[in-house]
Amino acid sequence: MTSVRAALRSPRRLRTEVLAGLVVALALIPEAISFSIIAGVDPRVGLFASFTMAVSISFLGGRPAMISAATGAVALVIAPVMRDHGFQYLVATVLLAGVLQVILGVLGVARLMRFIPRSVMVGFVNSLAILIFLAQLPHLTHVPWLVYPLVAAGVLVMVFLPKLTKAVPAPLVAILAVTLFVVLTSVSVPTVSDEGKLPDSLPSLFWPNVPWNLETLRIIAPYALGMALVGLLESLMTAKLVDGITDTHSVKRREAWGQGAANIITGFFGGMGGCAMIGQTMINVKASGARTRISTFLAGVFLLILVVGLGDLVGDIPMAALVAVMIMVSVGTFDWHSISLKTLRRMPRSETIVMVSTVVVVVLTHNLAIGVVVGVLVAMVLFARRVAHFTSVDEVEHPDGKTKVYAVTGELFFASSNDLVNRFDYRGDPDNVIIDLTHSHIWDASTVATLDAITTKYERYRKTVRIVGLNSASAERHQRLAGKLGAGH
């Protein structure tokens, strides 16, 4: 992993970090304005939130080179607060969400990432690429025809320039080239200034004017919890993605509480909050080659300089240039290997179902967090169903003709043990029955309840059942719960 100190000593690496930060800052402007509109707030709220989030997370976060700023997912969660209760309550929601994220981070919620399967991760990446592309469609409909060749020109620059040189990030060259053409030819196409008014002053400290009582907590708590969970999920998933791209390790626990601290700082400056931005992170890491916190910090600094100090110049950047950058990010983010015929034939059907489920839910809801949760649930159900079929019950010969032995093999839990009760011949078996669980393991109360039901059925026919071969954990669970669960359990 490239350190900040090493980057500062290397002119080539430092140049990469600086230019990457500039490209990300340019791409953040229209995104932040758009997300402000979604949340129902003034564009300066989203722009300042992006500045404070990026600068804060560059020091506090656990994943170098990852970009955090105002995001659409967070905007969707907190928009009802702004609509129903106003801006003061929105900022209070952001502050509470930050506190909750810090608490969850300290408690180690990041460890839950290990339960997200690869197929959900692939679905997350693919759905993200689709959402990034779909977000560009409004800028490509009902626009002057010249927008299309400008977008195409920008895409061509980013495709072919890296083949010639990687000294300068191709997205930056594309933005500058398209902007220069539009300015010199004076053609009329949509620009950044058309997206919303850029601020002309620096952000200042802000404290929400709301009554700090239980009624306020009742109003903001559900939205704050939703924002905290969505933000953490997207940030930790993005961190895991960057880990894979850079072959480096991030500190997920630090990233979790760092996101919370950044949201608290953002709230104190009257920002709308945010989380990791996958699109801008891909611009920074994949398209521009950044690897350190320098690029994240400079993305925030450049953003503030551009919108406050150079607002008139930035306002002249054609949206076609930024759309071209985001299209290339979308294409580069999508895992094309995952949908190739060779991969689909080789991959288990359950894995493909999980991936497709994640993509479909994300695209329909425009919420990455919901899609990931659904994907994990589908994966759990399919895994339980698959494992349930690995349990077998076989008859074993016994020298005593009055004794029947059943050998149960496989993991016993709610999905596999429910059918276990139908695998025995209660009426036809001899008086003594042995159920051998040497090659099994009891995982839950459902299995103990099933064994109780089997024993009860045999007792109705005045037959004796012995359960043998339990390992220590299974024996302890069976002894503690057997006969104590009741008919309803």
Side-chain angles (χ1 to χ4, degrees), residues 17 47 58 66 90 97 115 129 135 154-155 190 210 215 233 254 296 337 343 387 426:
E17 300 294 320
L47 289 166
S58 67
M66 191 167 77
L90 180 139
F115 297 109
V155 169
V210 298
E215 177 60 21
L233 186 55
R254 177 177 172 179
T296 306
H337 176 72
T343 302
V387 173
Y426 302 100

Side-chain angles (χ1 to χ4, degrees), residues 208-408:
N209 183 22
V210 298
W212 294 95
N213 53 31
L214 290 177
E215 177 60 21
T216 299
L217 184 63
R218 184 190 64 79
I219 293 172
I220 68 175
Y223 300 103
L225 180 61
M227 175 182 166
L229 295 177
V230 167
L232 283 180
L233 186 55
E234 288 205 26
S235 298
L236 294 174
M237 290 286 283
T238 304
K240 187 175 180 181
L241 178 62
V242 177
D243 288 353
I245 293 173
T246 61
D247 290 326
T248 56
H249 176 68
S250 60
V251 184
K252 304 295 192 305
R253 183 172 186 154
R254 177 177 172 179
E255 183 61 39
W257 66 254
Q259 286 289 331
N263 271 311
I264 293 173
I265 293 171
T266 298
F268 282 139
F269 281 94
M272 58 182 278
C275 62
M277 295 191 76
I278 183 68
Q280 274 63 29
T281 299
M282 290 299 100
I283 293 176
N284 197 43
V285 174
K286 210 167 187 180
S288 303
R291 291 293 183 270
T292 74
R293 300 175 186 274
I294 296 174
S295 58
T296 306
F297 174 77
L298 290 179
V301 173
F302 283 143
L303 174 64
L304 188 64
I305 294 173
L306 289 170
V307 299
V308 176
L310 302 173
D312 292 338
L313 292 176
V314 172
D316 290 334
I317 296 176
M319 286 302 300
L322 299 175
V323 168
V325 172
M326 298 310 293
I327 288 176
M328 286 301 296
V329 169
S330 172
V331 172
T333 301
F334 197 92
D335 186 352
W336 298 99
H337 176 72
S338 67
I339 60 171
S340 67
L341 289 178
K342 182 184 290 186
T343 302
L344 293 175
R345 289 195 194 101
R346 185 181 302 149
M347 195 67 66
R349 186 177 298 177
S350 59
E351 299 284 325
T352 303
I353 291 173
V354 171
M355 187 265 286
V356 172
S357 300
T358 305
V359 171
V360 169
V361 173
V362 170
V363 172
L364 289 179
T365 63
H366 282 237
N367 191 313
L368 290 163
I370 294 176
V372 170
V373 170
V374 170
V376 171
L377 291 175
V378 172
M380 289 171 58
V381 171
L382 293 177
F383 175 77
R385 181 174 178 272
R386 188 165 63 249
V387 173
H389 294 302
F390 292 157
T391 303
S392 62
V393 179
D394 301 304
E395 295 183 14
V396 179
E397 290 187 12
H398 192 276
D400 182 358
K402 296 182 179 180
T403 302
K404 181 70 150 302
V405 179
Y406 289 97
V408 181

